[in-house]
Amino acid sequence: MKFGYFDDKAKEYVITTPHTPLPWINYLGSNDFFSLISNTCGGYSFYKDAKLLRITRYRYNNIPADSNGKYYYINDDGVIWNPGTMPSATETDTYECRHGLGYSRFCSSKNNLKAELLVFVPSDASCEINCLKLKNNSETEKNISLFSYVEFCLWNAVDDASNFQRNLSIGEVEVQGSTIYHKTEYRERRKHYSFFTVNTQVDNYDTNRDAFLGAGNGNAFPEAVCKKKCSNSIASGWYPIAAHQIDLTLLPGEEKEFVFMLGYCENPADDKWEAPGIINKTSAKALIERFNTMEKAMQAFAELKNYWETLLARFAVVSENEHIDRMANIWNQYQCMVTFNMSRSASYYESGTGRGMGFRDSCQDLLGFVHLIPERARERIIDIASTQFPDGSAYHQYQPLTKQGNLDVGSGFNDDPLWLIAAVAAYIKETGDYGILDVQVPFDCKKGTEVPLFEHLEKSFYYTVTHLGPHKLPLIGRADWNDCLNLNCFSSEPGESFQTTGPSEGPVAESVFIAGMFVKYGKEFEELCERTGHTELAKEAGKAVDEMYQAVLDNGWDGEWFLRAYDAQSEKVGSKECEEGKIFIEPQGFCVMAGIGKEEGIAEKALDSVNELLETKYGIMILQPAYTRYHLELGEITSYPPGYKENAGIFCHNNPWISIAETVLGRGNRAFEVYRKICPSYIEEISDIHRTEPYVYSQMIAGADAPGFGEAKNSWLTGTAAWTFVNLSQALLGILPGYDGLIVDPCLPETFGDFKVNRHFRGADYHIEIHKPKGVQKGVRWIEVDGERINGNQIPMVNGRNEYHVIVQMG
Ligand code: BGC
Ligand code: IFM
């Protein structure tokens, strides 16, 4: 069952009912100012950092679940309703929500009054614009009162939700004309403030929440809205809000439009104190001036659309498969931008106060983003590497505003360092910018510790080399990619063991997954060494990689599949000898992606085992059989009920690893099958079962052991986006950046026919036409570039040429 449809032409998902199984959200903003908005107008805004600079308030665990946002109320002759239906939940006569790229549109009507709301964050300004149009489609005049409503957050979202003894006395506002300034903290730092304004004179306003809602009332039917009268309240402490009241008359057929704006401003550091408590409005006024008419707002909207058109055009496929085209050209790339910006910080499942930017997460997110805005990827790499320690280990997370490593979480996840190599290699392949390796980057953000980025990679590489266990496999530390596999936490108290604050490296627990990673990214490091003239280092690295390869064959192979790990007692994890958790997905994906076992003929076996033992109709589960009881020696993974999350859920993130691994073996039919099963567009039809947004990936789909088999959770912020884009664009459609040019090497099902790809790469546009006879899965017979046959399948770059016409014959 569906709750909407894809409008590919408009690049929108159209939601046709407010009663979606869960809130279906969108992200607005692509640089510093961000908003989350649901299909019923719930959500919130922040500047750069959802924890430290939260502009509007949101309540997770709320009842109803999604009932705080930026709302507009209409009182039309006593009937009170909202364009997105919430928070009054008044049923409208018509309803439509269109989530587009960086904007959402709502169109609804009630009693012949039509409301159209367009919400977006301009591509280059720190504000959110809300264009609201009201049209009287009835035969009689309407006298309406329109109210806006936002609830301010007192900036630090953690304090805001906890430190009430202070909060209830610090809120301050200031009103000038139609602009309501939120200036809490201004007294203290005079640094930042926000405001909510509208481009018309208002009849009344409120800034004190209780005055607007009525004491003891929720926000569904505010007292001021019911009485059609705000009281011009000025908040002093308690709960500052901004609400405007606009009374208007609409003749039959008449339409009126308003531009509301929520803005964020920072004062210059040398700002002079005008008068105690009075805001310096210079920057706000400039911002308001930029967008205070419908024409200006629509111009900014056109620019936003153009911004996205240009970005997405960097990779565009035309095939006979609408799911592929839609996902590759629109939604998958869009989700890559969102995960790049948000890491795992702010969604409807991540509170914005917890994780900040993940070291491993952001490195992986970058793999799906680097082709879009390489300059931002470069900056991100430097930020991430700056949180590394001199021994190569790294803070697991850092805060986006301060860019400082998060001390509460600390370090000790032994896969982290290697992801940096993955990110840097991808960046250089995309851009050819070896110069990044010379950038001076500090350790632990400390001045005076700077070394060239290249040395950070060296530290990453040797961190693994110097942390091997008894089987010559990498020590796992607190965990590897699988945060919940806590093999060294046996010494914690029961119930505490899932807190990942255990020893940074346990006695001996080892990870076959990190071994696979080391072979894959160790080879990348070796190649980078060679290409940058570090010949000796390259040799040494090559040797370490070979040894690891051998260690995996010797100690990491279980007979039918790769082992997952050895625990702290050197007992096998993910082996046929285990009672539960016999096989895990991660090492099968990564070892085969690294090419381990291909020559030895065991790689196929590993992937066949995945197919046989982990596959379900909704995707591939992370492990089987699920753990039915808690194991102190395995940690958090066994704290989840069977079928959920890391305990045998369909963890989407590593499904593309299997698909890519299948392409390494040339099995396009199977690679595509794995791709298809969790592809949002393919499973839109079962939105009632899947429940999360049908246009993006979720972190997890409940596995076969769970009562809710097939139900997804934790949408949007998942490495699935980046890995799937890598899979789709590079492994399946086979257009991959190499150090010396674009490489063409598709691997697709036999039934898949010809297709075309436009790819922007290093300043040039590549128009690639691929002829793929049915029956073929992989293999390029010849390539013609601008009429000339080339050797091999890497397109040589010609200085000064900015357009390439490429014909590829598979077979
Ligand atoms: C997992 C969660 C877990 C957490 C522990 C996450 O990456 O997905 O299930 O609670 O790590 O830190
Ligand atoms: O690898 C992690 C990631 O860092 C956060 N989400 C869950 C994954 C698996 O545990």
Side-chain angles (χ1 to χ4, degrees):
M1 180 180 163
K2 302 202 290 182
F3 300 86
Y5 59 93
F6 287 97
D7 180 344
D8 292 337
K9 215 155 166 245
K11 300 191 170 62
E12 293 172 338
Y13 191 82
V14 188
I15 304 169
T16 49
T17 165
H19 307 294
T20 45
L22 290 162
W24 284 3
I25 73 161
N26 193 12
Y27 284 85
L28 317 178
S30 33
N31 292 309
D32 296 327
F33 188 108
F34 296 104
S35 300
L36 282 67
I37 183 165
S38 73
N39 62 313
T40 56
C41 289
Y44 61 91
S45 302
F46 60 92
Y47 182 76
K48 282 191 181 170
D49 191 314
K51 176 179 174 186
L52 300 177
L53 286 175
R54 182 83 65 105
I55 299 170
T56 61
R57 192 176 268 163
Y58 193 74
R59 288 176 201 84
Y60 287 87
N61 283 336
N62 210 356
I63 319 173
D66 178 36
S67 55
N68 217 22
K70 268 164 233 116
Y71 291 133
Y72 296 93
Y73 298 86
I74 293 163
N75 186 332
D76 176 10
D77 204 15
V79 178
I80 292 164
W81 61 284
N82 308 89
T85 74
M86 285 298 278
S88 67
T90 304
E91 287 291 332
T92 48
D93 299 333
T94 65
Y95 164 93
E96 186 182 83
C97 162
R98 290 176 169 258
H99 285 320
L101 306 177
Y103 67 91
S104 293
R105 282 173 191 280
F106 300 82
C107 184
S108 47
S109 58
K110 178 94 185 157
N111 298 341
N112 292 318
L113 179 67
K114 180 171 155 200
E116 273 183 281
L117 175 65
L118 167 67
V119 186
F120 68 99
V121 170
S123 52
D124 63 347
S126 295
C127 63
E128 184 192 293
I129 294 175
N130 292 192
C131 299
L132 180 65
K133 285 189 200 172
L134 296 176
K135 184 170 186 199
N136 181 0
N137 282 328
S138 77
E139 311 276 288
T140 51
E141 178 179 302
K142 279 183 184 280
N143 292 302
I144 297 153
S145 289
L146 167 70
F147 299 84
S148 67
Y149 175 75
V150 302
E151 184 179 356
F152 290 113
C153 183
L154 305 177
W155 301 111
N156 181 322
V158 173
D159 265 16
D160 183 73
S162 53
N163 198 5
F164 304 110
Q165 62 78 25
R166 173 178 161 81
N167 298 343
L168 300 182
S169 294
I170 62 172
E172 288 189 273
V173 299
E174 195 178 316
V175 180
Q176 192 178 66
S178 301
T179 308
I180 298 169
Y181 293 91
H182 175 225
K183 59 180 186 179
T184 305
E185 277 195 356
Y186 197 69
R187 187 171 294 280
E188 206 179 321
R189 297 173 214 173
R190 286 184 63 71
K191 201 171 161 279
H192 54 250
Y193 60 90
S194 64
F195 64 87
F196 192 47
T197 191
V198 58
N199 69 340
T200 188
Q201 202 183 334
V202 298
D203 290 277
N204 289 300
Y205 61 84
D206 266 315
T207 68
N208 173 344
R209 193 180 81 193
D210 284 354
F212 181 70
L213 298 181
N217 201 8
N219 63 4
F221 295 96
E223 200 174 278
V225 176
C226 297
K227 291 188 174 157
K228 287 187 154 200
K229 183 117 185 74
C230 287
S231 57
N232 299 336
S233 58
I234 296 290
S236 165
W238 298 106
Y239 309 105
I241 59 153
H244 302 103
Q245 176 184 349
I246 303 166
D247 297 329
L248 63 152
T249 300
L250 286 175
L251 301 173
E254 195 186 2
E255 180 175 77
K256 285 195 175 151
E257 47 191 34
F258 306 96
V259 183
F260 292 85
M261 184 206 288
L262 176 74
Y264 170 87
C265 289
E266 281 180 0
N267 279 334
D270 60 352
D271 177 45
K272 300 281 176 311
W273 190 265
E274 259 181 45
I278 301 292
I279 280 198
N280 175 348
K281 304 180 182 71
T282 321
S283 21
K285 286 188 173 153
L287 195 52
I288 293 170
E289 182 61 33
R290 281 185 66 190
F291 305 107
N292 60 356
T293 65
M294 197 54 118
E295 292 69 40
K296 291 185 205 172
M298 292 320 287
Q299 175 63 29
F301 182 58
E303 282 163 21
L304 178 71
K305 290 204 103 172
N306 192 37
Y307 167 86
W308 273 107
E309 285 292 327
T310 314
L311 267 190
L312 295 184
R314 297 173 79 99
F315 185 98
V317 54
V318 182
S319 77
E320 59 198 24
N321 182 314
E322 65 166 351
H323 301 288
I324 295 286
D325 293 8
R326 168 185 298 153
M327 291 311 300
N329 300 344
I330 310 170
W331 295 100
N332 198 170
Q333 291 197 75
Y334 184 55
Q335 191 177 2
C336 285
M337 165 71 103
V338 171
T339 56
F340 178 82
N341 282 327
M342 297 292 133
S343 193
R344 306 296 169 269
S345 66
S347 73
Y348 263 35
Y349 305 86
E350 299 277 11
S351 67
T353 63
R355 288 166 184 257
M357 313 297 282
F359 190 99
R360 81 156 78 87
D361 300 320
S362 292
C363 285
Q364 289 171 89
D365 294 342
L366 195 138
L367 306 178
F369 172 84
V370 62
H371 70 291
L372 288 173
I373 315 179
E375 306 75 38
R376 286 192 66 203
R378 187 183 211 264
E379 198 185 316
R380 176 65 52 78
I381 286 172
I382 306 301
D383 288 347
I384 295 173
S386 304
T387 66
Q388 197 174 23
F389 290 108
D391 72 347
S393 65
Y395 278 109
H396 195 48
Q397 284 152 14
Y398 71 94
Q399 211 49 44
L401 184 71
T402 62
K403 299 188 175 175
Q404 298 279 325
N406 182 340
L407 270 169
D408 298 339
V409 181
S411 66
F413 295 82
N414 283 355
D415 61 317
D416 272 337
L418 293 173
W419 292 114
L420 185 63
I421 300 178
V424 174
Y427 169 79
I428 299 178
K429 284 180 188 169
E430 180 67 40
T431 59
D433 171 21
Y434 290 91
I436 193 174
L437 296 172
D438 301 327
V439 176
Q440 293 285 325
V441 182
F443 292 106
D444 191 9
C445 296
K446 294 207 166 65
K447 275 218 166 74
T449 62
E450 293 82 359
V451 299
L453 178 66
F454 181 82
E455 287 182 36
H456 282 261
L457 301 189
E458 197 179 338
K459 299 271 184 187
S460 287
F461 182 85
Y462 281 100
Y463 186 81
T464 303
V465 176
T466 55
H467 290 76
L468 299 180
H471 299 89
K472 300 205 177 87
L473 294 166
L475 293 177
I476 196 169
R478 282 165 60 182
D480 58 21
W481 172 87
N482 190 328
D483 274 331
C484 301
L485 196 59
N486 314 132
L487 304 180
N488 289 316
C489 72
F490 57 91
S491 55
S492 316
E493 291 299 313
E496 271 181 6
S497 52
F498 58 85
Q499 291 170 7
T500 44
T501 49
S504 76
E505 55 187 70
V508 294
E510 295 160 281
S511 162
V512 177
F513 168 78
I514 302 181
M517 257 191 105
F518 182 80
V519 172
K520 181 164 164 60
Y521 298 127
K523 280 189 211 156
E524 296 277 13
F525 179 66
E526 182 189 349
E527 184 168 2
L528 271 178
C529 289
E530 270 162 14
R531 285 174 173 270
T532 51
H534 298 85
T535 321
E536 275 312 302
L537 203 51
K539 266 194 216 142
E540 221 180 89
K543 193 166 156 271
V545 169
D546 290 345
E547 284 168 10
M548 187 69 79
Y549 190 109
Q550 195 54 45
V552 174
L553 293 182
D554 294 344
N555 301 315
W557 179 249
D558 196 50
E560 308 276 330
W561 55 80
F562 293 99
L563 276 179
R564 179 63 177 84
Y566 287 92
D567 71 15
Q569 315 299 331
S570 268
E571 298 291 339
K572 291 176 183 171
V573 179
S575 158
K576 56 179 178 293
E577 293 165 24
C578 303
E579 215 174 289
E580 302 179 329
K582 287 176 190 289
I583 174 171
F584 282 65
I585 195 174
E586 305 99 304
Q588 323 314 325
F590 245 83
C591 290
V592 179
M593 280 201 286
I596 304 177
K598 201 176 160 189
E599 276 175 22
E600 295 77 4
I602 58 174
E604 275 94 351
K605 212 174 224 182
L607 297 188
D608 290 345
S609 299
V610 168
N611 192 3
E612 193 186 317
L613 301 169
L614 296 178
E615 181 87 2
T616 76
K617 59 179 170 175
Y618 297 128
I620 306 174
M621 294 177 288
I622 196 167
L623 65 90
Q624 275 293 295
Y627 293 106
T628 54
R629 67 174 180 86
Y630 184 70
H631 293 254
L632 203 51
E633 74 286 5
L634 301 175
E636 178 175 3
I637 190 166
T638 58
S639 73
Y640 285 113
Y644 287 118
K645 297 277 295 184
E646 282 88 341
N647 185 13
I650 297 161
F651 219 90
C652 298
H653 189 136
N654 24 48
N655 277 236
W657 295 349
I658 298 299
S659 185
I660 297 171
E662 290 288 3
T663 68
V664 169
L665 305 183
R667 306 201 294 192
N669 291 340
R670 175 75 190 132
F672 193 79
E673 179 66 2
V674 174
Y675 170 81
R676 186 188 62 74
K677 280 204 172 150
I678 63 162
C679 173
S681 172
Y682 268 105
I683 56 182
E684 185 201 8
E685 287 292 343
I686 56 157
S687 290
D688 50 329
I689 298 171
H690 189 76
R691 302 188 78 229
T692 52
E693 296 90 330
Y695 37 92
V696 291
Y697 286 94
S698 294
Q699 183 203 54
M700 188 222 42
I701 299 169
D705 301 279
F709 184 34
E711 179 191 26
K713 289 196 184 101
N714 203 354
S715 55
W716 282 96
L717 303 187
T718 163
T720 316
W723 274 108
T724 300
F725 189 69
V726 169
N727 180 29
L728 182 56
S729 60
Q730 301 183 15
L732 293 166
L733 298 171
I735 311 297
L736 56 148
Y739 288 109
D740 302 318
L742 265 191
I743 300 168
V744 184
D745 193 15
C747 183
L748 286 157
E750 284 165 343
T751 51
F752 207 94
D754 297 353
F755 62 101
K756 287 185 193 161
V757 172
N758 281 333
R759 174 69 152 91
H760 187 80
F761 179 70
R762 302 204 197 168
D765 287 309
Y766 289 73
H767 310 281
I768 308 170
E769 224 178 277
I770 293 157
H771 299 284
K772 179 183 168 302
K774 306 256 161 140
V776 171
Q777 294 183 58
K778 191 168 177 157
V780 166
R781 267 184 39 217
W782 53 258
I783 296 181
E784 224 175 71
V785 182
D786 294 309
E788 282 185 36
R789 287 275 171 105
I790 61 162
N791 287 326
N793 62 348
Q794 183 159 34
I795 305 168
M797 290 178 294
V798 181
N799 248 348
R801 188 181 289 180
N802 51 21
E803 212 148 348
Y804 294 77
H805 293 272
V806 184
I807 299 175
V808 179
Q809 180 63 51
M810 293 181 66

